[in-house]
Amino acid sequence: ARAVQNVFKAVVLWAVLPSLAHGLTLDLPAPVLAEESRSESFGSYALPLAPFDGQAVPARSVEGALDQRVFQLDAPDLTTLAVLDPLRAQILAAGYEVLLDCETEGCGGFDFRFGTEVMPEPDMHVDLGDFRFLSAEKGEEAISVLVSRSASSAYVQITRVGPAPAPVALQGESVDL
């Protein structure tokens, strides 16, 4: 019954997220055990474009509506590739262009992990010896996916940035400058 509830929770979470996800809906490959999120109606994110280059993680600042979520998945037998692969396929099918797709050492290992924005432990666990990262964009939308695991769970951090809501016309007192 708990597994059915977790699967239902994952389906419901992704069913209600399309407005935050800028039209992209992703199906997670395993039941959700826990979820954390951070959203800003107008924020910025350093979208990684290449592995750590010896100095920094090459990135481009993207601005707009920011949605960052971490999912702990009940996936004791799934590798990081088995978790990332179906997410990558969905992102490509939605018309996104992959900018960076790397694994642990190919990303730059420790330096990449600490040179990119990651939600803190215990929400997002990153095994420095086993993680994968993907960044992609489509028009004004950008997405990144960081996947890692512990002995019994997989962890997925999905960061999305899209067009910010239209500015609201302010009414009130005028100020002479």
Side-chain angles (χ1 to χ4, degrees):
R2 183 172 179 225
V4 171
Q5 288 174 337
N6 287 334
V7 170
F8 179 74
K9 180 180 176 185
V11 170
V12 169
L13 276 171
W14 286 101
V16 300
L17 287 179
S19 64
L20 294 174
H22 314 295
L24 177 63
T25 301
L26 296 173
D27 294 319
L28 297 170
V32 175
L33 297 172
E35 184 225 354
E36 288 297 325
S37 65
R38 174 179 81 91
S39 297
E40 297 175 11
S41 59
F42 192 70
S44 63
Y45 171 65
L47 180 69
L49 303 174
F52 179 76
D53 66 8
Q55 299 286 325
V57 174
R60 180 178 69 241
S61 181
V62 290
E63 297 177 341
L66 178 103
D67 181 58
Q68 189 170 58
R69 296 182 184 271
V70 171
F71 299 93
Q72 179 186 3
L73 305 180
D74 183 17
D77 298 326
L78 292 181
T79 64
T80 54
L81 179 59
V83 174
L84 180 63
D85 192 53
L87 298 173
R88 179 193 308 118
Q90 293 171 66
I91 290 167
L92 289 171
Y96 284 76
E97 177 186 343
V98 171
L99 304 172
L100 175 60
D101 188 351
C102 59
E103 176 200 6
T104 314
E105 290 306 315
C107 293
F110 173 91
D111 294 310
F112 181 87
R113 183 319 191 183
F114 286 98
T116 205
E117 188 176 321
V118 178
M119 288 180 68
E121 292 266 3
D123 301 329
M124 180 61 191
H125 170 73
V126 179
D127 178 341
L128 294 174
D130 184 15
F131 67 86
R132 291 179 183 265
F133 182 86
L134 176 126
S135 64
E137 66 182 353
K138 176 183 172 185
E140 296 179 20
E141 300 174 13
I143 186 167
S144 70
V145 180
L146 174 62
V147 175
S148 192
R149 54 171 306 100
S150 67
S152 61
S153 300
Y155 290 82
V156 179
Q157 175 179 291
I158 301 171
T159 304
R160 289 173 273 218
V161 181
V168 176
L170 299 176
Q171 295 182 4
E173 294 181 33
S174 296
V175 177
D176 291 325
L177 300 175

